[in-house]
């Protein structure tokens, strides 16, 4: 990857010649020179700098910057540098436009099939078959004669297309909003990334994108270099360049050997208080940041190279399971739909050409083709219903909703699937400092003047001499950069700046009602005579000051077990010296220090020593100087456990998640904190190991890690103390790779330091600390805890489980719909040659059920009860036994209801059967009832689907989800409105009257006739004219009455039986007078008629969808006006309808 530098994309408005000019824009270096310089390493680079610029200082002069003062903070100058050398950021990848997303959504195979079917259907509906009058096509062609319905034939195709458009738009909009949300999230993370630069001699924090060529940056341990640069000065600086060079060892950098620093790398170095400076040089080669180590030091200079970093895409547990399921369902649906089409086609062919023995005539071909298209559409309908296209939608909505809500719970999710994986977590390896504890060190116990205080003593209880010595020893012998500042917000804790242990001691001074600031002002930093800084070997820090009498005083503080060995005296309660022998020391260790350590305290000894002017020692011999000390005090410091952590850990344990603590602290402190948190409980069989012991147990003689050995250790391990970053990574990897349990462990890890990077990357879910975390840790993590608090992890678990449950709820609901719809469509098609649920209706079901149900069920808020069950694990099937029972049970109930309605429904409701209707027959009342029943059963099943663990009360907490309630009610209302006959809607009544034409065309007369031969048609013309006449008179009388009286009741309902009887009574003759005079087609009709007349009038028969007949343009199913019912299209004599409705 090293040669990315060569292929950098340039980002400069300046023309090429000018940029390559010897002095670009007045600077002594061109962009090309800087770029070629940054391509060199080590000695070559050093040689090039010396040849071209003399030294690094020469480079600074050429770039018009000062190695000590930095750039002047001058806007014009900074802008000019950006113009010439470019900006320090990688332009984000262009987001996909909405149209691109729409195009992607259209690629769905099912939708393509639907589009094709819809277009074919549309095309055929506009094509008038010529074989209309030919008797040879048999009753097949009769259906096509229903012109009124034929004109409405396009509706089905158009509706399919419309629903396809809806599905596509919803999907595209979802993708678009998800993309937008993520961009917002990324830009927030990027804006938060700041870097320290020196401008005008001041240290400033500037956003990484605001760095310019010539900036002097200060690099600290753990930083990611924001740009390429040249080192000006540094101390023991090491850099991890593995992401560029693949070299895993840290590369040592120094101004005189290898001063080249590359961006995106990490520093590592001894934490001496040195200022490693590096010069910002050529552009940042932004790489995928590896979670590596980093250091004090390094300024750099930049000009960008762009490289779009591709995010990792791997399927989460849930996605894997869902993909598998969708494929299985799709295959089943495909088989079912193919079988449906084949059965329908065979049935039709055998019926028409074998049983009836007709010949295939050329003029009949279009009619037959229409039938085959109808069968194809039914087949497609079965397939559409079988495929749960709402599934991806449900997952997307659920995840997007959860991520948004998790933000409120202080979880900033970087990778969507992490939120769902977290629900399956079985183990959490947590840091101690800052996560389980507050990361605010405080002195809680002290030993002063022969007394052991369990809490901070009152100042009056101490001798003034001891108090004064203590305040001086703490104030002077600590870094002057460490201080305690007033809180930023009302009610917050004072801010601790600098070293945490020193902050605890300074806090102790403040608790004793003293102040450290006056002492520091009296003896400023430059007056300190000699400072022995803290290091991990001697575990102490000492400072020497010159006393007014020309003598010296040394203050020392450090780990009590080490410093007490150097003490020969101790201050008693009066502040006087008394000798302190080894025996006294052992006594003190036993009675004071060990009890403190058992309480999880870190013990620190504070001591001093006076030198007279005469006996000035050799200051370089530290061991000799720091000896013969007088002990002032021993204090116990602890990092208190966060108050909410024990409860959170209890919840985790109840939810089947094992919490392990991995810390660099000593084993006593770690064990004490673990006990306070509840990670270890008395009487349990657990292990607390130190890093060394852990390694000894898991490695073989050759020093290699063996999985079998690790498997013996990790199940009982609860605390790993004094652990290195490698130990943490080994543990996480070992748990993930282990095969001991019945299922693979899903491990979450928390980390804040640079060194936690590898473990965070390796874990299934990595949590980085948002406040204390380094860039490297955040970069390697999946979720950032914005409040650094362990309880937020419990919230993440809850949300993760909620996502999983939401998807399961939706699946249970969706599969019930699918099973029922597929079986109904399949059997209906095979037995009655027509699906009881039409393509348009199926799509409506798919639309409301899929889209809205996924919204309703995916937005269920999580409850605490989610934490009462064990994790599902990776191998458990998505559809549990309980869910299977619910799906099959409900499907059985729904199928029973629907088949009962389908085959004997007309008897229950005393309506005409909708079965075996011809090709273009209008929707029948019968099938409308079936459709409504089907939708209502789904709607109530949506409420059942809210519970998937066999709970009895499905209404529990239903009002806690307003989205759910709104959707269920909304769907119900729309469904009711959609299936009400238009004639029932009074508001539309007047609008329904079309222009009454006196002359009648043949087409008009032919409307409503279903299966009539030519002789019948001639006979019936007179009857039809007669009834139309009656209808016109009736309408006029109604209008007159309406004007006359304000009594609206008797007139408003078109189906009102009274109106026609009133009218009949007025002209003094009754319907019965003429019913029998109408020439009937055959005698059987007479008997039926008489029977029907005696019976009470039944609910009206089914109506033509576009009732063009009767001059009343009312368009919905089941129009119940007495007159239009005359022309109701239905097999059998149309006269029945006249008499029944009158």
């Amino acid at each position: 990857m090293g040669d990315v530098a060569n292929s950098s994309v340039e980002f400069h408005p300046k023309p090429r010649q000018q940029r390559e000019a010897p002095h670009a824009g007045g600077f002594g270096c061109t962009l090309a020179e800087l770029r070629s310089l940054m391509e060199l390493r080590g000695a070559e680079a050093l040689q090039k700098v010396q040849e071209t610029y003399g030294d690094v200082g020469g480079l600074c002069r050429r770039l018009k910057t000062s190695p000590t003062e930095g750039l002047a903070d001058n806007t014009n100058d900074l802008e000019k540098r950006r113009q010439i050398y470019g900006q320090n950021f990688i332009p984000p990848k262009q987001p996909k436009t909405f149209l691109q997303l729409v195009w992607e959504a259209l690629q769905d195979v099912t939708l393509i099939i639907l589009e094709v079917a819809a277009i074919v259907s549309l095309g055929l509906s506009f094509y008038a078959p010529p074989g209309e009058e030919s008797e040879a096509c048999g009753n097949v062609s009769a259906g096509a004669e229903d012109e009124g319905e034929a004109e409405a034939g396009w509706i089905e195709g158009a509706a399919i297309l419309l629903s396809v458009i809806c599905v596509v738009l919803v999907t595209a909009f979802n993708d678009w909003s998800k993309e937008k949300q993520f961009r917002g999230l990324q830009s927030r993370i990027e804006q938060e990334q700041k870097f320290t630069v020196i401008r005008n001699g001041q240290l400033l924090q500037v956003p990484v994108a605001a760095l310019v060529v010539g900036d002097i940056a200060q690099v600290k341990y753990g930083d990611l270099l924001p740009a390429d640069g040249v080192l000006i000065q540094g101390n023991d600086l090491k850099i991890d360049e593995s992401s560029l060079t693949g070299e895993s060892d840290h590369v040592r950098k120094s101004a005189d050997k290898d001063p080249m620093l590359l961006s995106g790398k990490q520093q590592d170095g001894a934490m001496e208080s040195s200022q490693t400076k590096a010069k910002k040089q050529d552009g940042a080669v932004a790489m995928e940041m590896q979670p590596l180590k980093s250091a004090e030091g390094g300024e750099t200079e930049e000009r960008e190279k762009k490289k779009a970093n591709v995010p990792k895409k791997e399927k989460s547990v849930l996605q894997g399971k869902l993909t598998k399921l969708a494929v299985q369902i799709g295959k089943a649906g495909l088989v079912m739909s193919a079988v449906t089409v084949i059965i329908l086609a065979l049935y039709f062919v055998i019926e028409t050409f074998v049983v009836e023995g007709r010949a295939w005539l050329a003029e009949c071909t279009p009619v037959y083709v229409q039938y085959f298209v109808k069968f194809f559409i039914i087949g497609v309908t079965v397939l559409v219903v079988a495929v749960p296209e709402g599934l991806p939608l449900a997952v997307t909505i659920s995840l997007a909703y959860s991520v948004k809500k998790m933000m409120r719970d202080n979880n900033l999710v970087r990778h969507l699937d992490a939120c769902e994986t977290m629900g399956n977590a079985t183990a959490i390896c947590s840091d101690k400092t800052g996560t389980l504890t507050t990361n605010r060190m405080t002195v809680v116990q002290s030993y002063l003047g022969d007394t052991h205080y369990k809490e901070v003593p009152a100042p009056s209880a101490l001798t003034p001499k001891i108090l004064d010595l203590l305040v001086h020893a703490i104030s002077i012998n600590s870094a002057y950069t460490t201080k305690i500042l007033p809180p930023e917000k009302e009610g917050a804790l004072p801010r601790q700046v600098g070293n945490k242990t020193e902050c605890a001691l300074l806090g102790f001074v403040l608790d004793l009602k003293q102040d450290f600031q006056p002492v520091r002002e009296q003896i400023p930093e430059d007056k300190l005579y000699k400072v022995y800084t803290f290091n991990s070997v001697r575990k102490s820090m000492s400072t020497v000051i010159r006393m007014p009498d020309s003598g010296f005083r040394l203050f020392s503080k450090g780990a009590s077990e080490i410093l007490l060995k150097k003490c020969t005296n101790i201050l008693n309660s009066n502040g006087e010296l008394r000798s302190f022998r080894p025996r006294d020391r052992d006594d003190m260790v036993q009675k004071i220090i060990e009890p403190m350590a058992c309480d999880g305290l870190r013990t620190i000894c504070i001591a001093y020593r006076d030198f007279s002017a005469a006996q000035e020692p050799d200051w370089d011999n530290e061991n000799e100087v720091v000896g013969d000390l007088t002990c002032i005090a021993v204090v116990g410091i602890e990092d208190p456990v966060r108050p909410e952590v024990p409860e959170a850990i209890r919840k985790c344990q109840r939810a089947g998640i094992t919490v392990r603590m991995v810390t660099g602290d000593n084993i006593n402190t770690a064990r004490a904190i673990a006990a306070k948190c509840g990670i270890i409980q008395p009487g349990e069989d657990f292990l607390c190991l130190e890093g060394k012991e852990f390694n000894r147990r898991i490695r073989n003689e050759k020093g290699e890690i063996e999985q079998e050995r690790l498997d013996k250790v990790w199940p009982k391990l609860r605390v790993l103390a004094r652990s290195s970053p490698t130990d943490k990574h080994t543990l996480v990897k070992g748990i993930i790779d282990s095969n001991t349990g019945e299922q693979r462990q899903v491990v979450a890890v928390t980390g804040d330091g640079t060194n936690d990077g590898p473990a965070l990357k390796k874990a299934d879910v990595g949590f980085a600390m948002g406040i204390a975390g380094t860039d490297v840790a955040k970069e390697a993590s999946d979720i950032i805890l914005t409040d650094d608090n362990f309880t937020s992890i419990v919230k993440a678990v809850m949300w993760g489980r909620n996502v999983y449950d939401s998807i399961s709820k939706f699946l249970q609901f969706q599969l019930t719909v699918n099973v029922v719809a597929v079986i109904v469509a399949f059997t209906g098609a095979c037995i009655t040659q027509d699906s009881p649920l039409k393509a348009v209706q199926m799509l409506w079901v798919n639309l409301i059920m899929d889209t809205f149900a996924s919204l309703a069920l995916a937005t269920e808020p999580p409850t605490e009860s989610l934490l009462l069950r064990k994790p599902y694990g990776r191998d458990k099937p998505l559809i549990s036994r309980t869910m299977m029972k619910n799906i099959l049970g409900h499907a059985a109930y729904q199928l029973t209801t629907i088949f009962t309605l389908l085959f004997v429904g007309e008897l229950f409701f005393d309506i005409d059967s909708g079965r075996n209707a011809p090709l273009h027959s209008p929707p029948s009342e019968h099938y409308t009832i079936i459709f409504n029943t089907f939708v209502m059963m789904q709607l109530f099943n949506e409420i059942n689907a809210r519970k998937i663990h066999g709970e009895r009360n499905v209404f529990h907490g239903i009002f806690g989800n307003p989205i759910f309630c709104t959707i269920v009610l909304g769907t119900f209302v729309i469904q009711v409105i959609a299936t009400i006959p238009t004639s029932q809607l009074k508001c539309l009544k007047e609008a329904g009257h079309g222009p009454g034409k006196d002359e009648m065309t043949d087409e008009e007369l032919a409307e409503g006739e279903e299966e009539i031969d030519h002789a019948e048609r001639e006979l019936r013309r007179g009857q039809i004219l007669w009834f139309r006449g009656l209808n016109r008179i009736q309408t006029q009388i109604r209008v007159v009455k309406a004007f006359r009286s304000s009594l609206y009741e008797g007139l408003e309902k078109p189906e009102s039986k009274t109106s026609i009887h009133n009218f009949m009574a007025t002209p003094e003759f009754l319907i019965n007078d003429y019913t029998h005079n109408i020439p009937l087609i055959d005698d059987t009709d007479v008997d039926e008629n008489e029977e029907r007349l005696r019976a009470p009038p039944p609910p009206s028969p089914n109506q033509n969808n576009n009732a063009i007949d009767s001059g009343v343009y009312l368009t919905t199913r089941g129009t119940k006006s007495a007159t239009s019912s005359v022309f109701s299209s239905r097999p059998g004599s149309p006269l029945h309808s006249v008499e029944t409705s009158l």
Side-chain angles (χ1 to χ4, degrees):
M1 280 166 113
D3 57 356
V4 172
N6 307 331
S7 57
S8 64
V9 180
E10 294 177 359
F11 194 69
H12 312 286
K14 298 272 171 189
R16 195 170 174 80
Q17 304 82 326
Q18 188 182 334
R19 202 168 4 135
E20 298 297 352
H23 300 294
F27 295 110
C29 300
T30 62
L31 184 60
E33 279 175 28
L34 291 179
R35 186 177 303 153
S36 61
L37 176 65
M38 289 318 294
E39 281 163 17
L40 302 173
R41 299 276 175 281
E44 287 178 17
L46 202 62
Q47 191 183 344
K48 175 82 186 266
V49 171
Q50 284 163 351
E51 283 172 9
T52 321
Y53 311 107
D55 60 0
V56 176
L59 179 60
C60 292
R61 284 191 292 281
R62 292 260 195 120
L63 288 168
K64 300 187 177 171
T65 183
S66 149
T68 50
E69 297 291 307
L71 293 175
D73 208 352
N74 168 344
T75 327
N76 296 340
D77 177 50
L78 297 178
E79 194 43 55
K80 187 175 166 194
R81 289 173 190 268
R82 282 192 196 104
Q83 289 284 324
I84 293 170
Y85 295 112
Q87 294 176 318
N88 191 32
F89 79 97
I90 299 167
K93 205 170 74 192
Q94 278 295 311
K96 284 183 178 154
T97 60
F98 189 70
L99 286 174
Q100 280 172 307
L101 293 167
V102 166
W103 176 245
E104 278 178 19
L106 277 168
Q107 309 301 308
D108 187 70
V109 183
T110 324
L111 293 181
I112 293 171
I113 296 173
L114 276 179
E115 288 153 26
V116 172
I119 290 164
V120 172
S121 161
L122 268 176
L124 285 162
S125 70
F126 291 125
Y127 169 62
E132 204 175 334
E133 299 297 318
S134 154
E135 212 177 313
C137 302
N139 66 355
V140 175
S141 65
E145 287 172 22
D146 177 8
E147 298 269 314
E149 183 59 32
E151 282 172 30
W154 59 273
I155 290 180
E156 192 141 317
I160 296 179
L161 280 182
L162 185 72
S163 60
V164 166
I165 291 168
C166 284
V167 170
V168 166
L169 289 179
V170 168
T171 314
F173 178 74
N174 255 299
D175 290 347
W176 179 79
S177 56
K178 188 170 88 179
E179 179 114 338
K180 185 163 160 257
Q181 224 175 3
F182 253 74
R183 287 197 171 270
L185 200 95
Q186 287 308 109
S187 63
R188 251 190 62 187
I189 294 175
E190 280 159 20
Q191 283 159 13
E192 284 168 3
Q193 201 181 351
K194 296 212 158 131
F195 210 78
T196 311
V197 297
I198 299 172
R199 288 186 184 165
N200 284 341
Q202 299 287 317
L203 283 177
L204 299 179
Q205 289 272 333
V206 298
V208 166
L211 290 169
V212 295
V213 172
D215 256 332
I216 305 295
Q218 178 184 355
V219 186
K220 300 183 297 302
Y221 175 83
D223 283 343
L224 274 175
L225 290 181
D228 295 358
V230 182
L231 183 66
I232 298 176
Q233 75 180 60
N235 178 26
D236 191 22
L237 171 66
K238 289 183 191 149
I239 292 204
D240 187 321
E241 291 187 351
S242 60
S243 57
L244 259 192
T245 59
E247 171 59 65
S248 57
D249 289 341
H250 292 174
V251 182
R252 187 180 286 278
K253 298 282 180 180
S254 61
D256 53 356
K257 287 203 178 68
D258 180 4
M260 296 300 167
L261 307 181
L262 298 174
S263 69
K265 305 292 108 357
Q266 245 76 340
Q267 273 72 319
D268 195 1
M271 290 286 288
E272 297 292 308
S273 55
S274 70
Q275 181 106 317
T276 314
K277 299 225 181 88
K279 191 95 220 8
K280 307 245 144 229
Q281 194 69 14
D282 195 65
V285 183
M287 298 291 173
E288 171 111 19
M289 311 307 193
Q290 294 299 97
L292 305 165
K293 308 234 178 104
S294 200
E296 272 266 18
E299 288 316 314
T300 346
E301 189 119 345
E302 69 271 51
R303 199 229 18 58
E304 281 15 74
K305 299 186 172 147
K306 334 288 179 245
K307 168 176 176 290
N309 54 347
V310 187
K312 55 169 184 177
K313 279 209 172 174
E314 51 181 35
K315 283 193 174 167
S316 71
V317 184
L318 182 67
Q319 282 170 323
K321 289 181 181 180
L322 283 175
T323 314
K324 212 157 96 186
L325 187 77
V327 169
Q328 289 166 345
I329 295 174
K331 283 180 184 165
L334 207 58
V335 171
M336 288 289 273
S337 60
V339 172
T340 312
V341 175
I342 293 164
I343 291 179
L344 284 173
L346 282 176
Y347 189 98
F348 171 74
V349 169
I350 293 169
E351 179 76 12
T352 312
F353 302 116
V354 180
V355 179
E356 297 178 14
R358 296 178 190 282
W360 184 301
L361 298 173
E363 65 268 25
C364 294
T365 305
V367 182
Y368 296 145
V369 169
Q370 275 191 311
Y371 264 94
F372 284 115
V373 170
K374 179 179 161 185
F375 299 151
F376 177 61
I377 288 181
I378 291 171
V380 172
T381 308
V382 173
L383 175 65
V384 173
V385 175
V387 176
E389 59 271 47
L391 208 50
L393 196 64
V395 178
T396 311
I397 291 176
S398 192
L399 284 174
Y401 173 78
S402 302
V403 167
K404 209 168 183 169
K405 293 283 187 195
M406 282 169 81
M407 198 57 232
R408 292 186 195 167
D409 286 338
N410 303 308
N411 283 294
L412 192 149
V413 181
R414 293 184 68 241
H415 301 131
L416 259 189
D417 52 4
C419 127
E420 166 268 313
T421 312
M422 199 53 217
N424 286 317
T426 54
I428 298 176
C429 294
S430 172
D431 266 3
K432 174 177 77 70
T433 313
T435 314
L436 299 174
T437 59
T438 55
N439 199 14
R440 290 180 61 87
M441 291 295 200
T442 38
V443 172
V444 286
Q445 294 186 25
S446 51
Y447 179 80
L448 284 157
D450 290 342
T451 321
H452 185 181
Y453 297 98
K454 290 284 171 120
E455 47 210 35
V456 178
S460 54
L462 301 174
T463 317
K465 182 182 174 191
I466 294 182
L467 197 55
D468 183 58
L469 267 172
L470 185 66
V471 171
H472 275 76
I474 292 174
S475 308
I476 294 168
N477 188 27
S478 56
Y480 277 34
T481 49
T482 302
K483 31 185 175 302
I484 292 185
L485 303 176
E488 281 175 334
K489 291 192 207 118
E490 277 290 309
L493 293 164
R495 282 179 297 152
Q496 296 188 340
V497 182
N499 180 300
K500 294 279 187 268
T501 309
E502 292 182 349
C503 284
L505 294 169
L506 292 174
F508 184 51
V509 170
L510 296 176
D511 290 343
L512 289 168
K513 310 282 184 288
Q514 308 295 311
D515 194 358
F516 57 87
Q517 211 48 53
V519 179
R520 287 182 170 183
E521 280 160 13
Q522 183 192 340
I523 306 175
E525 210 166 352
D526 48 27
K527 292 256 184 79
L528 299 179
Y529 189 77
K530 174 84 183 163
V531 177
Y532 301 99
T533 55
F534 180 88
N535 80 17
S536 51
V537 180
R538 54 178 180 261
K539 293 209 164 134
S540 67
M541 169 182 179
S542 309
T543 305
V544 182
I545 53 168
R546 195 183 271 275
M547 300 299 280
D549 61 4
S550 304
F552 299 95
R553 176 170 284 175
L554 169 131
F555 290 114
S556 194
K557 68 164 190 280
S560 54
E561 63 270 22
I562 291 176
L563 218 53
L564 281 177
K565 287 180 185 159
K566 301 183 178 179
C567 290
T568 51
N569 294 297
I570 189 163
L571 296 178
N572 66 12
S573 52
N574 301 324
E576 291 151 4
L577 298 190
R578 98 180 141 71
S579 69
F580 186 68
R581 298 180 298 282
R583 190 177 67 241
D584 301 329
R585 187 175 65 235
D586 296 341
D587 209 31
M588 189 165 171
V589 166
Q590 239 170 358
K591 292 191 178 152
I592 313 293
I593 293 173
E594 280 183 0
M596 282 189 186
C598 290
D599 288 343
L601 306 186
R602 181 188 297 176
T603 51
I604 288 184
C605 174
I606 301 166
Y608 79 104
R609 178 183 180 181
D610 283 331
F611 298 92
S612 62
Q615 59 177 82
E616 186 174 338
D618 170 11
W619 295 116
D620 290 337
N621 184 351
E622 190 184 338
N623 283 341
E624 192 182 296
V625 175
V626 184
D628 195 15
L629 303 172
T630 302
C631 172
I632 306 171
V634 173
V635 294
I637 295 181
E638 85 166 340
D639 184 359
V641 171
R642 288 173 180 263
E644 62 278 5
V645 163
E647 177 55 24
I649 286 181
R650 226 180 357 267
K651 282 182 187 166
C652 282
Q653 289 164 342
R654 212 170 40 220
I657 302 169
T658 311
V659 182
R660 293 181 174 83
M661 183 164 96
V662 184
T663 176
D665 217 332
N666 72 57
I667 191 131
N668 288 334
T669 311
R671 194 186 279 121
I673 297 281
K676 282 182 191 168
C677 295
I679 291 176
I680 55 180
Q681 270 131 7
E684 261 190 7
D685 179 19
F686 59 80
L687 282 175
C688 293
L689 297 178
E690 282 199 335
K692 280 181 187 161
E693 173 65 10
F694 172 68
N695 275 305
R696 197 183 58 70
R697 290 194 183 197
I698 63 168
R699 292 174 190 273
N700 60 18
E701 299 72 49
K702 295 179 190 162
E704 293 158 351
I705 298 166
E706 285 187 1
Q707 188 66 44
E708 305 87 77
R709 289 174 179 239
L710 229 169
D711 288 345
K712 287 178 192 155
V713 175
W714 73 257
K716 287 183 183 176
L717 183 69
R718 291 291 175 275
V719 176
L720 183 57
R722 288 275 181 242
S723 69
S724 68
T726 328
D727 295 339
K728 191 172 187 174
H729 181 260
T730 306
L731 177 65
V732 172
K733 184 173 181 300
I735 297 178
I736 290 178
D737 295 347
S738 169
N739 299 321
T740 48
E742 53 278 15
Q743 57 197 31
R744 150 157 144 50
Q745 298 276 315
V746 177
V747 185
V749 169
T750 69
D752 52 4
T754 301
N755 47 17
D756 292 327
L760 288 172
K761 261 265 198 286
K762 178 66 194 166
D764 293 292
V765 183
F767 286 91
M769 300 300 148
I771 303 168
T774 59
D775 295 345
V776 183
K778 290 181 189 173
E779 206 46 66
S781 69
D782 300 297
I783 298 180
I784 296 173
L785 297 178
T786 51
D787 62 347
D788 287 13
N789 194 336
F790 189 82
T791 38
S792 307
I793 298 177
V794 181
K795 293 260 177 61
V797 172
M798 215 153 83
W799 275 108
R801 292 187 173 190
N802 195 52
V803 168
Y804 196 98
D805 276 11
S806 298
I807 306 300
S808 299
K809 287 171 189 173
F810 178 73
L811 260 178
Q812 177 176 311
F813 168 75
Q814 172 84 52
L815 291 181
T816 313
V817 180
N818 288 10
V819 169
V820 173
V822 168
I823 296 177
V824 167
F826 176 70
T827 47
C830 296
I831 297 170
T832 65
Q833 281 75 68
D834 186 10
S835 172
L837 299 169
K838 297 277 183 290
V840 181
Q841 296 175 339
M842 282 302 200
L843 285 157
W844 160 245
V845 169
N846 257 332
L847 207 68
I848 59 163
M849 296 306 159
D850 282 13
T851 313
F852 290 128
S854 64
L855 240 181
L857 292 168
T859 51
E860 286 276 312
T863 56
E864 289 282 334
S865 60
L866 287 168
L867 294 173
L868 297 178
R869 59 173 176 75
K870 300 280 178 273
Y872 284 134
R874 287 184 171 255
D875 314 318
K876 189 169 184 289
L878 255 182
I879 300 166
S880 65
R881 285 193 185 145
T882 318
M883 285 166 66
M884 201 44 129
K885 187 181 71 186
N886 293 351
I887 292 171
L888 295 177
H890 220 277
Y893 148 70
Q894 292 190 14
L895 286 171
T896 313
T897 314
I898 287 175
F899 283 139
T900 309
L901 285 175
L902 179 59
F903 294 112
V904 290
E906 69 269 29
L907 304 178
F908 283 136
F909 298 104
D910 200 8
I911 50 173
D912 299 296
S913 164
R915 296 193 302 280
N916 298 321
L919 189 63
H920 280 296
S921 54
S924 62
E925 225 176 35
H926 184 187
Y927 278 11
T928 304
I929 289 177
I930 293 178
F931 174 55
N932 262 329
T933 313
F934 178 66
V935 172
M936 289 307 157
M937 288 195 293
Q938 302 321 327
L939 206 54
F940 287 95
N941 191 25
E942 199 166 317
I943 297 172
N944 286 335
R946 291 184 66 245
K947 303 290 176 202
I948 50 171
H949 297 297
E951 295 92 332
R952 287 272 175 275
N953 180 9
V954 290
F955 295 102
H956 178 69
I958 192 165
F959 296 114
N961 186 358
I963 300 180
F964 184 87
C965 302
T966 317
I967 285 174
V968 171
L969 285 173
T971 314
F972 179 80
V973 171
I974 295 171
Q975 176 64 25
V976 169
I977 291 173
T979 50
I980 289 184
T982 320
S983 55
Q984 303 292 48
L985 301 173
K986 295 169 199 161
C987 54
L988 301 176
K989 182 177 161 193
E990 288 307 311
H993 288 280
K997 290 187 185 168
D998 293 334
E999 66 281 1
M1000 291 212 158
T1001 59
D1002 280 26
E1003 284 85 12
E1004 262 185 286
L1005 291 173
E1007 278 158 20
E1009 304 173 16
E1010 265 316 291
E1011 297 179 357
I1012 321 160
D1013 60 28
H1014 296 283
E1016 269 187 86
R1017 192 181 302 146
E1018 292 308 315
L1019 253 175
R1020 284 182 49 213
R1021 266 195 196 184
Q1023 299 165 357
I1024 291 170
L1025 281 165
W1026 165 239
F1027 286 119
R1028 292 233 170 140
L1030 280 181
N1031 168 38
R1032 297 249 164 88
I1033 295 166
Q1034 182 191 10
T1035 311
Q1036 285 157 4
I1037 287 173
R1038 269 221 198 103
V1039 173
V1040 173
K1041 275 194 179 177
F1043 277 105
R1044 257 214 232 127
S1045 82
S1046 57
L1047 298 169
Y1048 209 60
E1049 281 78 9
L1051 323 170
E1052 79 223 16
K1053 295 185 182 165
E1055 96 264 44
S1056 151
K1057 305 289 183 295
T1058 52
S1059 54
I1060 193 157
H1061 286 297
N1062 294 349
F1063 152 64
M1064 287 305 179
T1066 319
E1068 300 302 317
F1069 69 88
L1070 288 170
I1071 285 235
N1072 297 15
D1073 301 348
Y1074 68 82
T1075 16
H1076 292 292
N1077 304 340
I1078 296 167
L1080 297 168
I1081 289 107
D1082 57 20
D1083 294 37
T1084 51
D1085 284 341
V1086 180
D1087 315 334
E1088 276 179 63
N1089 296 343
E1090 295 198 293
E1091 267 173 65
R1092 292 212 183 186
L1093 281 169
R1094 287 186 207 105
S1100 81
N1102 37 6
Q1103 274 342 337
N1104 183 336
N1105 212 4
N1106 301 40
I1108 302 172
D1109 18 271
S1110 78
V1112 182
Y1113 292 84
L1114 296 174
T1115 55
T1116 28
R1117 302 170 198 141
T1119 318
K1120 292 182 181 169
S1121 86
T1123 46
S1124 64
S1125 64
V1126 176
F1127 311 100
S1128 87
S1129 8
R1130 195 179 66 266
S1133 160
L1135 294 177
H1136 296 185
S1137 49
V1138 181
E1139 293 153 279
T1140 42
S1141 42
L1142 293 181

